[in-house]
Amino acid sequence: MRSIVCTRIAGALLLVYSTIVAAARAQSAVAVRGAPELESKRGVVACVERRAAEIGAAVLAEGGNAVDAAVAVAFALAVTYPEAGNLGGGGFMLVALADGRTAAIDYRETAPRRADERLFLDANGAVDSQRREFGHHAVGVPGTVAGLAEAHRLFGTRPWTELVAPARRLAADGLVVQPALAAGLAEYAVDLARFAASRAQFLHADGTPYDVGETLVQADLANTLRWIEEGGAAPFYDGPIAALIAAEMAHAGALLDARDFAAYRPVVRDVLVARFRGHELLLMPPPSSGGIALAQMLALLEPFALRERGGFDASARHLFAESSRRAFADRAQWLGDPEATAIPVEQLLSEAHLAPRRASIEPERASASAEFGPPVTETDAGATTHFSIIDGAGNAVANTYTIEERFGSKLIAPGTGFLLNNELQDFNPKPGRTTRDGQIGTAANLARGGRRPLSSMTPCIVRRDGEVVLVTGSPGGRTIISTVTQIVLDVLEFETPLAAAVARPRQHHGWFPDQIGIEQAFDPATAEALRRLGHVVQLRTRQGDAHSIERDPASGRLHGVADRRTEGWCAAPTGE
Ligand code: DON
């Protein structure tokens, strides 16, 4: 609650704020402007944090493309938004260039090669939740630095050093703590204090967290960023950073070692393409579950012609929940690391598979999740962040990256200055154990050496007639898929303006638990109507954080919309 109140106040102050920042390069001051919502023809960055957005816009102003800006924003968020922005995690970057080229860069973390499916089981075979959540054992090989280097190698146009330097300077010079960071540090101070380097970085000597207005200097992080600035990904995977982390892991008796770092590779995959209402959706293939699930949901919904039936009302929300229920059942059964699990992608998206599932949807009555297989649930607390970028030439990036929970494993390896993920938690915790209110234990997503855990991250780029018209994505664990699908549905089916689509209260049905989660601001009458149809409807605090951009192909005009659930911000080069 406290963080929501702080966010609101800060949001109101920031509304009237417009700024000029020093550019990435020392000599030339590059002007950028910003607001939670803005229009521009010169490029827009929409992300969770103002300074990172400004750094990205400065790269665009200097002639960098959307991928250059994405690299700079991702490094900057590792400094300004440590609860999810990261060097110690992983993610997915979707790229769609104006010349038609596309790529899905998979920089998801991998399990240590010595890991197996008993990773989180204690001597009695029970799941050790502490081990899954905190510290060394939950850490996968971070993919972020390798992924950003790969994106830059493939598509970048500006020198690498120029894209890392602004983040390094922010870490070295210090940043003035804003309400969102202060609230996060206060909430997690006790957990961060468990690890000496994390405590030293984020808490005062007396154990109190940095507060609003104080300057947070992250000297070790600045040093790490300097290594990366000068040496690219090599120092991280084959040099001092890998060595520091491996030493810390060995000290704690954890499996991750220097060989795991040396073996890490990002994977450039073909984007998953789906079609809906004359649009082409570019999505992330496995190990994201989001692309397939979103494509399934829209394919299930399209013949219902929701718009002709009315607005985004209770009837549409019911059908949306029914499509979610079916897609999430498939997700649990089939999806995992494509290198380790045979995933029948084409079949899952085929009419042969979807038509009977669609036929089982009743417009006037909720079905039961148990009809679609054994029960499961999984937790979705944690921290991830998404940013969207379109440059003036129409090149687009949708990037979602994560350290899994807020502040990840809470562990900083001494000398490195950045939080490590607890992404291995995304593997199914216990083989064969699939419960109504607890865990998934299906074979498709069990821990094995080198495997990538299944993810729900769903970066999404929409094109019409070959031109980008929308970029979106969100954090939120499994609810990510529901958030992104809802926005795409709202914009493409109901032709809702983007700002209203992003603001609209969200819902999530994840198959199990068999219920619709709704946000606080959800219309009570609609919730009641859903209950009358037989749904269990449960209030949640907040769902997602979807910083999005739309583009008018005729004029090239961009419209950035930061999600107001956080301190989200859009920045653009000055000028029209
Ligand atoms: O990859 C995934 O699906 C999860 N690790 C994402 C976690 C998440 O979104 C938490 N954010 N709020």
Side-chain angles (χ1 to χ4, degrees):
M1 216 8 147
R2 183 183 153 197
S3 72
I4 293 170
V5 174
C6 290
T7 303
R8 294 256 163 79
I9 295 165
L13 291 174
L14 291 175
L15 237 181
V16 290
Y17 181 90
S18 159
T19 190
I20 293 180
V21 291
R25 286 187 299 178
Q27 285 89 345
S28 57
V30 174
V32 305
R33 63 194 171 90
E37 192 179 336
L38 57 69
E39 298 211 342
S40 169
K41 279 189 164 176
R42 302 194 56 207
V44 173
V45 177
C47 84
V48 70
E49 200 281 326
R50 200 191 80 217
R51 284 153 300 191
E54 290 171 344
I55 283 171
V59 170
L60 296 178
E62 293 235 310
N65 67 15
V67 175
D68 294 315
V71 171
V73 170
F75 279 119
L77 285 171
V79 180
T80 63
Y81 190 66
E83 69 177 66
N86 69 80
L87 304 181
F92 302 134
M93 185 188 289
L94 277 186
V95 179
L97 298 186
D99 66 11
R101 282 180 294 159
T102 61
I105 302 175
D106 166 1
Y107 58 97
R108 183 74 165 159
E109 300 91 328
T110 53
R113 79 189 176 291
R114 292 183 288 161
D116 65 27
E117 60 206 39
R118 291 168 315 213
L119 189 63
F120 295 121
L121 301 186
D122 64 19
N124 301 321
V127 176
D128 182 338
S129 53
Q130 286 286 313
R131 248 169 115 93
R132 283 184 82 210
E133 204 173 335
F134 294 105
H136 308 76
H137 301 280
V139 181
V141 184
T144 296
V145 175
L148 298 178
E150 184 68 358
H152 182 257
R153 187 183 70 79
L154 290 171
F155 305 117
T157 64
R158 303 296 298 184
W160 171 258
T161 51
E162 213 173 86
L163 308 177
V164 186
R168 191 251 308 147
R169 277 199 293 268
L170 256 181
D173 298 347
L175 67 129
V176 178
V177 171
Q178 301 296 314
L181 177 55
L185 291 176
E187 203 174 331
Y188 286 87
V190 172
D191 293 337
L192 290 165
R194 293 162 73 135
F195 303 105
S198 313
R199 184 170 60 231
Q201 184 145 333
F202 294 119
L203 308 177
H204 296 298
D206 67 358
T208 55
Y210 280 76
D211 208 346
V212 179
E214 292 189 288
T215 299
L216 174 67
V217 174
Q218 301 175 81
D220 286 346
L221 178 57
N223 189 47
T224 284
L225 285 165
R226 184 177 289 288
W227 275 326
I228 293 168
E229 188 180 334
E230 291 169 357
F236 198 97
Y237 295 94
D238 273 310
I241 303 166
L244 284 166
I245 296 170
E248 174 65 19
M249 293 294 161
H251 183 67
L255 299 174
L256 195 63
D257 65 17
R259 276 179 62 191
D260 294 315
F261 274 81
Y264 186 83
R265 300 283 178 275
V267 183
V268 182
R269 304 185 187 278
D270 290 338
V271 297
L272 180 76
V273 180
R275 284 171 218 288
F276 182 75
R277 298 262 178 266
H279 293 80
E280 184 187 40
L281 278 71
L282 308 181
L283 300 162
M284 194 71 208
S288 167
S289 58
I292 290 176
L294 182 148
Q296 283 191 322
M297 285 190 228
L298 292 184
L300 286 169
L301 288 172
E302 192 162 20
F304 282 101
L306 296 180
R307 188 158 181 221
E308 283 146 43
R309 297 164 67 98
F312 206 151
D313 56 7
S315 153
R317 286 190 174 278
H318 161 66
L319 294 170
F320 178 26
E322 291 300 322
S323 74
S324 309
R325 183 199 306 282
R326 287 154 179 78
F328 274 91
D330 277 350
R331 173 188 183 277
Q333 186 175 352
W334 294 106
L335 303 187
D337 182 341
E339 252 68 65
T341 306
I343 303 175
V345 178
E346 271 178 37
Q347 192 202 328
L348 289 171
L349 296 175
S350 69
E351 265 305 291
H353 177 74
L354 294 172
R357 300 206 140 202
R358 189 185 299 115
S360 71
I361 297 176
E362 293 182 46
E364 302 298 335
R365 192 182 72 88
S367 50
S369 288
E371 291 168 30
F372 301 96
V376 299
T377 60
E378 93 187 26
T379 56
D380 58 12
T384 301
T385 190
H386 172 85
F387 60 81
S388 300
I389 302 178
I390 307 180
D391 65 25
N395 302 305
V397 169
N399 188 92
T400 315
Y401 72 158
T402 183
I403 44 178
E404 165 55 4
E405 292 207 19
R406 288 177 76 190
F407 302 98
S409 65
K410 323 296 186 273
L411 170 68
I412 293 179
T416 62
F418 59 88
L419 287 159
L420 290 161
N421 67 83
N422 59 341
E423 215 72 54
L424 301 185
Q425 188 168 234
D426 279 352
F427 284 118
N428 297 343
K430 184 164 174 170
R433 190 171 142 79
T434 297
T435 63
R436 184 172 288 274
D437 57 354
Q439 303 155 359
I440 300 181
T442 49
N445 183 37
L446 294 176
R448 290 281 155 70
R451 263 196 199 177
R452 288 158 146 82
L454 182 65
S455 173
S456 299
M457 291 186 288
T458 312
C460 176
I461 299 177
V462 180
R463 296 198 295 199
R464 195 172 56 230
D465 302 327
E467 298 230 34
V468 170
V469 295
L470 174 68
V471 181
T472 189
S474 177
R478 279 208 295 177
T479 68
I480 292 172
I481 302 172
S482 306
T483 296
V484 178
T485 305
Q486 182 174 316
I487 290 172
V488 170
L489 190 64
D490 215 343
V491 172
L492 302 190
E493 174 80 29
F494 298 108
E495 298 182 3
T496 303
L498 183 60
V502 168
R504 193 192 292 278
R506 296 178 182 141
Q507 72 180 69
H508 169 68
H509 192 303
W511 180 38
F512 280 100
D514 190 348
Q515 64 186 34
I516 302 176
I518 56 168
E519 288 189 299
Q520 304 269 356
F522 202 91
D523 171 37
T526 305
E528 208 33 57
L530 289 169
R531 286 194 183 98
R532 277 200 301 274
L533 292 172
H535 292 284
V536 174
V537 180
Q538 198 71 37
L539 269 189
R540 309 174 48 100
T541 47
R542 189 187 100 193
Q543 181 179 316
D545 186 27
H547 311 293
S548 309
I549 306 173
E550 61 187 347
R551 177 173 176 272
D552 172 21
S555 65
R557 181 158 284 279
L558 306 170
H559 177 204
V561 175
D563 195 326
R564 307 301 290 280
R565 288 166 179 79
T566 58
E567 291 175 5
W569 196 251
C570 293
T574 49
E576 239 202 296

